[in-house]
Amino acid sequence: MNELVSGGNLPLPHGVLTVRVPGPFDVCALITDDGGTVRDDSDFVFFNQPSAPGARLADDTLTVDPAALRPGATRVTVVVSPTEPGTPLSRLPSPTLQVTGPAGHLARFTPPPAGEETALLLAEIYRRAGIWKLRALGQGYADGLAGLARDFGVDVVDDGARAQPVPGPPAIPAQRTAAHPRGQGGAEPLWLAPVNSARAQAGAPAVCLDARLTAAAQEHAAAMAAAGRLGVEGRDGVSVYQRLTRTGYAYVSVGEHLVSGPRTPQEFLASCLRTEQARRTLQDAGFVHAGLGQAHGDRGEVFWTALWARPLTPAELDRTETEVVALTNRERAAAGLPPLAADPPLTRAARAHSADMVARDFYAHTAPDGSRPWDRAAAAGAARRSIGENIACGQRSPAEVVTGWMNSPGHRANILKPDFTHIGIGFAGGGRAGTYWTQLFGG
């Protein structure tokens, strides 16, 4: 069975899929086309409407038959929320997605621990180039299932307990903010001074505007406006991180706010300061550059993208990779194992693989050319008898990526394997998921 991390994807076999999320959670599903918007209320599968063509919900289990979905459907997004309304996900164990196909278990995914979010995009089953795939997500919403559903085009009446879909065209929400902070050039001066004031209150240095971040933010805001919904990826399939990479800006860390609703830069800033996770991004002391984009949707909504970044330098790359090694060795020490020594050939191979995943837009141990971890290690000059590899994408820091690996049994086994004596770390910013990490072990 495949252990996925956030951003990881997996080709799916033909046939009916079973998706289960055990625990104190409500499961629901949103059926959409490539634009990411439901056609009508029948595309929202939840406890009070448990079936749609190709999808059926029973307790904690969702059954999906991709071939039987309604015409035009290309994506099924699996969502979880606490059974007890209003409970932050931080008070519950992390939900674990279990996916089974006709031949048995396919994949499992446990997202990183949540904060104050009350709804979570856990995964999506999607079609790309005629092939159905599973992608692990882990994106939270602080405004719960109602806010999440509206972002997919469902008009929701919140009765204080659970969201109910309402037929007809979606209403324009007063404000929608993705809890994972994800905002035109002319608005930037009105925005930057209060941003830096808010950063100063948190002891963070001022950020400077960067034309490349502004260009990428503006392009992504326009893409969201064209699609009529918030999203890390636009209707064109390009992520906000790929837009930034295309400007030539190389980063070691990146953050973003994707928001719709506020009408002015001041209102947008207020929305970014309203929730803890969004506020942490805005006040992150590591960021030195920022950019803001704004665009209007067909129904008059205002879509914002703010980008925050720290540029990649050789020193920053070394610092990041060294920290991953240190955190890895801390876990080994806690298990009574000797530390792993940094190995230059393994490092070259790991860096090359992370960069390759960004450049060729894939996420796998086997590269498009068929090369595998031991092939890449040998090509880089490594002379190790045994090779192991962990990969991850989307994590924002060394601590986050090592924690994610340690929470995954397969990745944890590599980190704590007694036979391994050496390690190489590769990091690359950019690509569809934003960050790509490789741990290459040798023994």
Side-chain angles (χ1 to χ4, degrees):
M1 182 167 57
N2 295 277
E3 294 282 349
L4 297 180
V5 296
S6 298
N9 61 66
L10 177 74
L12 294 170
H14 295 291
V16 177
L17 305 167
T18 299
V19 179
R20 181 170 180 257
V21 186
F25 306 104
D26 283 339
V27 179
C28 64
L30 292 145
I31 301 168
T32 65
D33 55 19
D34 286 335
T37 303
V38 298
R39 184 181 59 182
D40 53 41
D41 64 305
S42 65
D43 282 346
F44 188 17
V45 178
F46 69 121
F47 77 100
N48 216 25
Q49 183 172 271
S51 65
R56 177 172 292 276
L57 179 65
D59 297 324
D60 61 3
T61 302
L62 175 70
T63 302
V64 179
D65 183 356
L69 294 171
R70 65 159 174 85
T74 59
R75 186 175 302 174
V76 179
T77 303
V78 181
V79 179
V80 295
S81 58
T83 301
E84 185 66 30
T87 301
L89 287 166
S90 60
R91 299 182 187 176
L92 303 175
S94 293
T96 295
L97 178 85
Q98 303 170 1
V99 183
T100 304
H105 293 295
L106 289 172
R108 182 168 59 187
F109 168 59
T110 302
E116 294 305 301
E117 298 96 324
T118 54
L120 186 71
L121 298 182
L122 193 54
E124 61 183 6
I125 298 165
Y126 67 102
R127 187 175 66 198
R128 181 69 53 83
I131 299 173
W132 285 93
K133 298 182 178 182
L134 171 72
R135 178 185 289 131
L137 297 175
Q139 177 184 343
Y141 276 68
D143 48 355
L145 187 60
L148 180 150
R150 289 192 182 100
D151 281 349
F152 281 78
V154 179
D155 192 8
V156 174
V157 175
D158 191 346
D159 62 2
R162 303 195 189 195
Q164 305 284 340
V166 179
I172 302 173
Q175 181 168 313
R176 306 193 297 242
T177 305
H180 278 280
R182 304 291 184 203
Q184 158 174 351
E188 283 180 313
L190 300 176
W191 175 73
L192 186 63
V195 160
N196 282 331
S197 176
R199 288 175 62 84
Q201 292 175 18
V207 292
C208 301
L209 295 175
D210 186 284
R212 295 164 295 182
L213 271 68
T214 296
Q218 184 58 43
E219 181 183 340
H220 196 70
M224 292 193 300
R229 64 179 293 266
L230 300 174
V232 173
E233 285 188 17
R235 189 184 299 172
D236 54 5
V238 180
S239 77
V240 66
Y241 316 113
Q242 289 171 309
R243 299 185 203 282
L244 179 53
T245 302
R246 289 176 182 180
T247 68
Y249 189 100
Y251 58 81
V252 70
S253 60
V254 66
E256 67 283 339
H257 292 88
L258 308 182
V259 177
S260 68
R263 297 288 168 173
T264 66
Q266 293 86 346
E267 289 180 7
F268 169 65
L269 174 60
S271 75
C272 295
L273 291 170
R274 190 168 294 123
T275 62
E276 180 182 357
Q277 190 157 0
R279 186 167 57 250
R280 282 204 306 266
T281 295
L282 189 148
Q283 296 177 335
D284 190 320
F287 295 137
V288 298
H289 293 137
L292 180 69
Q294 170 197 14
H296 292 264
D298 292 340
R299 297 188 180 95
E301 314 100 310
V302 183
F303 289 83
W304 302 82
T305 299
L307 283 173
W308 316 83
R310 185 177 187 86
L312 180 69
T313 64
E316 288 285 356
L317 180 61
D318 288 342
R319 179 192 59 78
T320 299
E321 294 173 349
T322 298
E323 188 172 347
V324 175
V325 173
L327 291 169
T328 299
N329 281 333
R330 182 185 300 173
E331 297 293 346
R332 288 177 63 87
L337 295 170
L340 301 172
D343 183 84
L346 293 178
T347 298
R348 287 195 297 270
R351 285 180 175 179
H353 189 55
S354 289
D356 192 30
M357 288 191 288
V358 170
R360 291 200 276 182
D361 192 19
F362 74 98
Y363 177 74
H365 294 288
T366 302
D369 60 8
S371 64
R372 298 184 178 184
W374 43 90
D375 302 318
R376 295 188 289 269
R384 304 293 165 192
R385 290 177 297 176
S386 61
I387 294 292
E389 185 180 77
N390 286 343
I391 58 174
C393 63
Q395 291 78 12
R396 303 303 177 101
S397 68
E400 184 178 341
V401 74
V402 173
T403 298
W405 280 326
M406 288 299 293
N407 287 337
S408 167
H411 299 89
R412 178 188 179 94
N414 270 342
I415 290 174
L416 301 182
K417 187 172 182 177
D419 293 344
F420 288 145
T421 57
H422 291 76
I423 189 172
I425 303 298
F427 167 84
R432 190 175 303 276
T435 55
Y436 288 77
W437 308 79
T438 301
Q439 268 184 327
L440 198 56
F441 304 91

